[in-house]
Amino acid sequence: MKKLSLKSRKSKVILLLCLLIAVVGSFFVYQTYISDSKNQEDTGIVETKEKQIEDVFAFLSTEESLTSFNEYIAGAPLESNIATATTGLSDVTLAITVIFAPKNEAFETDEAKLLANVPEASQNDLKLYYFAVFLPTAEGVAPNVELVDGQKLTMLNGREIFISVKNGQTSLTDSKGRIASVGGTYYVDTAGNRIYIIDNILLLQ
């Protein structure tokens, strides 16, 4: 039988070493990927993104994902209530309106059917539950409109919404304990007014 030459044996050893290095390297890359994915799942951190728009009310009336909400609030005395909230301010342009707008899917749930049972006298009151006005300070400084954990936000109907922020995920709790999650993208117009899209409707009862 013909013996392998020294050169041939060296070539095979080098080839085996290269294969071993490739296997170990692939395993290391795989473990790193799995570890990173696991860490992201464990933290559950939600990245918040801001998008610029011209006007929040124009956006609300044309955005396809919010057509149900736009139809729902039709006829609500929003402008007069916003005006009332800013009465007496020396510079009302500093006041900022924040809107929590349920996406279309929120109006297709069983809970959304409860909207039909809200007494007519409370309909406008409930529609104003999705709007808040952040007022400037007494010194005329523009308000801080960032939502923070533990915050109680007074809405245009005078009722409160409770804000919770965990791992970057913001959620709202209404007066009856219903929870709505705030989407990772919010919209800001040229005046600083904001729209946050939520996944649930808010109710008074």
Side-chain angles (χ1 to χ4, degrees):
M1 183 179 291
K2 191 175 180 180
K3 292 184 178 180
L4 290 172
S5 67
L6 182 60
K7 183 176 181 181
S8 177
R9 279 182 288 179
K10 283 185 176 179
S11 297
K12 285 194 171 185
V13 170
I14 292 173
L15 179 60
L16 287 173
L17 285 174
C18 289
L19 288 173
L20 181 60
I21 291 171
V23 170
V24 172
S26 298
F27 179 76
F28 177 76
V29 170
Y30 175 75
Q31 287 297 317
T32 301
Y33 171 78
I34 294 298
S35 178
D36 288 346
S37 299
K38 181 77 166 56
N39 287 337
Q40 289 179 359
E41 290 176 1
D42 290 342
T43 58
I45 295 175
V46 177
E47 182 180 357
T48 302
K49 296 180 181 179
E50 177 183 302
K51 286 191 176 181
Q52 294 291 325
I53 55 178
E54 286 297 316
D55 179 80
V56 291
F57 289 100
F59 176 81
L60 183 58
S61 65
T62 57
E63 172 58 31
E64 292 185 359
S65 65
L66 302 177
T67 53
S68 295
F69 178 62
N70 188 49
E71 292 172 1
Y72 172 70
I73 62 169
L78 295 173
E79 291 185 6
S80 61
N81 280 271
I82 292 174
T84 299
T86 57
T87 297
L89 293 181
S90 58
D91 190 352
V92 296
T93 59
L94 287 175
I96 295 177
T97 300
V98 173
I99 306 169
F100 295 105
K103 56 186 179 180
N104 293 335
E105 291 80 1
F107 287 88
E108 298 171 3
T109 62
D110 290 337
E111 278 203 333
K113 297 176 183 177
L114 297 174
L115 292 173
N117 299 322
V118 176
E120 187 173 349
S122 300
Q123 284 291 345
N124 281 334
D125 186 37
L126 180 52
K127 292 175 182 179
L128 298 176
Y129 204 12
Y130 297 90
F131 298 81
V133 174
F134 281 70
L135 303 176
T137 67
E139 294 75 26
V141 178
N144 178 8
V145 297
E146 297 300 323
L147 303 179
V148 298
D149 187 49
Q151 180 181 16
K152 292 181 181 180
L153 183 58
T154 302
M155 311 308 284
L156 275 179
N157 62 3
R159 296 178 184 250
E160 291 182 329
I161 290 289
F162 297 88
I163 309 297
S164 174
V165 181
K166 184 178 181 181
N167 293 327
Q169 174 64 63
T170 302
S171 60
L172 317 176
T173 303
D174 67 14
S175 61
K176 294 300 179 181
R178 295 178 180 85
I179 298 174
S181 295
V182 178
T185 299
Y186 63 93
Y187 302 84
V188 182
D189 69 12
T190 53
N193 303 306
R194 296 188 177 197
I195 288 185
Y196 291 96
I197 298 178
I198 58 178
D199 67 352
N200 200 4
I201 59 171
L202 305 175
L203 291 170
L204 301 177
Q205 55 189 17

Coordinates of all heavy atoms in Angstrom, one line a residue, residues 88-96 134-144:
G88 N -57.6 83.1 29.3 CA -56.8 83.9 30.2 C -55.3 83.8 30.0 O -54.5 84.5 30.6
L89 N -54.8 82.9 29.1 CA -53.4 82.8 28.8 C -52.9 84.0 28.0 O -53.6 84.4 27.0 CB -53.1 81.5 28.1 CG -53.3 80.2 28.9 CD1 -52.9 79.0 28.1 CD2 -52.5 80.2 30.2
S90 N -51.8 84.5 28.3 CA -51.2 85.6 27.5 C -50.7 85.2 26.1 O -50.7 85.9 25.2 CB -50.1 86.3 28.3 OG -49.1 85.4 28.5
D91 N -50.3 83.9 26.0 CA -49.8 83.4 24.8 C -50.4 82.0 24.6 O -49.7 81.0 25.0 CB -48.3 83.4 24.7 CG -47.8 83.1 23.4 OD1 -48.6 82.7 22.5 OD2 -46.6 83.2 23.2
V92 N -51.6 81.9 24.0 CA -52.2 80.6 23.9 C -51.5 79.7 22.9 O -51.8 78.5 22.8 CB -53.7 80.7 23.5 CG1 -54.5 81.4 24.6 CG2 -53.9 81.5 22.2
T93 N -50.7 80.3 22.1 CA -50.0 79.4 21.1 C -49.0 78.5 21.7 O -48.5 77.5 21.1 CB -49.2 80.3 20.1 OG1 -48.2 81.1 20.8 CG2 -50.1 81.2 19.3
L94 N -48.7 78.7 23.0 CA -47.8 77.9 23.7 C -48.5 76.6 24.3 O -47.8 75.6 24.6 CB -47.1 78.6 24.9 CG -46.0 79.6 24.5 CD1 -45.6 80.4 25.8 CD2 -44.8 78.9 23.8
A95 N -49.8 76.7 24.3 CA -50.6 75.5 24.8 C -50.5 74.4 23.8 O -50.5 74.7 22.6 CB -52.0 75.9 25.1
I96 N -50.4 73.2 24.2 CA -50.3 72.1 23.3 C -51.4 71.0 23.5 O -51.6 70.6 24.7 CB -48.9 71.4 23.5 CG1 -47.8 72.3 23.1 CG2 -48.8 70.1 22.7 CD1 -46.4 71.8 23.3
F134 N -52.0 70.7 27.4 CA -50.8 71.0 28.2 C -50.6 72.5 28.2 O -50.5 73.1 27.1 CB -49.6 70.3 27.7 CG -49.5 68.9 28.1 CD1 -50.3 67.9 27.5 CD2 -48.5 68.4 29.0 CE1 -50.3 66.6 27.8 CE2 -48.5 67.0 29.3 CZ -49.3 66.1 28.7
L135 N -50.7 73.1 29.4 CA -50.6 74.6 29.4 C -49.2 75.1 29.8 O -48.5 74.4 30.5 CB -51.6 75.1 30.5 CG -53.0 74.7 30.3 CD1 -53.9 75.2 31.5 CD2 -53.6 75.3 29.0
P136 N -48.8 76.3 29.2 CA -47.5 76.8 29.6 C -47.5 77.2 31.1 O -48.5 77.3 31.7 CB -47.4 78.1 28.7 CG -48.9 78.4 28.4 CD -49.6 77.1 28.3
T137 N -46.3 77.4 31.6 CA -46.1 77.8 33.0 C -46.6 79.2 33.2 O -46.8 80.0 32.2 CB -44.6 77.7 33.4 OG1 -43.9 78.7 32.6 CG2 -44.1 76.3 33.1
A138 N -46.6 79.6 34.4 CA -47.1 81.0 34.7 C -46.1 82.0 34.1 O -46.5 83.2 33.9 CB -47.2 81.2 36.2
E139 N -44.9 81.6 33.9 CA -43.9 82.5 33.3 C -43.9 82.5 31.8 O -43.1 83.2 31.2 CB -42.4 82.1 33.8 CG -42.2 82.2 35.3 CD -42.8 81.1 36.1 OE1 -43.1 80.1 35.5 OE2 -43.1 81.4 37.3
G140 N -44.9 81.8 31.3 CA -45.0 81.8 29.8 C -44.1 80.8 29.1 O -43.8 80.9 27.9
V141 N -43.6 79.8 29.8 CA -42.6 78.9 29.2 C -43.5 77.7 28.6 O -44.5 77.3 29.2 CB -41.7 78.3 30.3 CG1 -40.7 77.3 29.6 CG2 -40.9 79.4 30.9
A142 N -43.1 77.3 27.4 CA -43.8 76.2 26.8 C -43.8 74.9 27.7 O -42.9 74.7 28.4 CB -43.1 75.8 25.5
P143 N -44.9 74.2 27.7 CA -45.1 73.1 28.6 C -44.3 71.9 28.2 O -43.9 71.7 27.0 CB -46.6 72.7 28.5 CG -46.9 73.2 27.1 CD -46.1 74.4 26.8
N144 N -44.0 71.0 29.2 CA -43.3 69.8 28.9 C -44.4 68.7 28.6 O -45.2 68.4 29.5 CB -42.4 69.4 30.1 CG -41.7 68.0 29.9 OD1 -41.8 67.5 28.8 ND2 -41.1 67.5 30.9

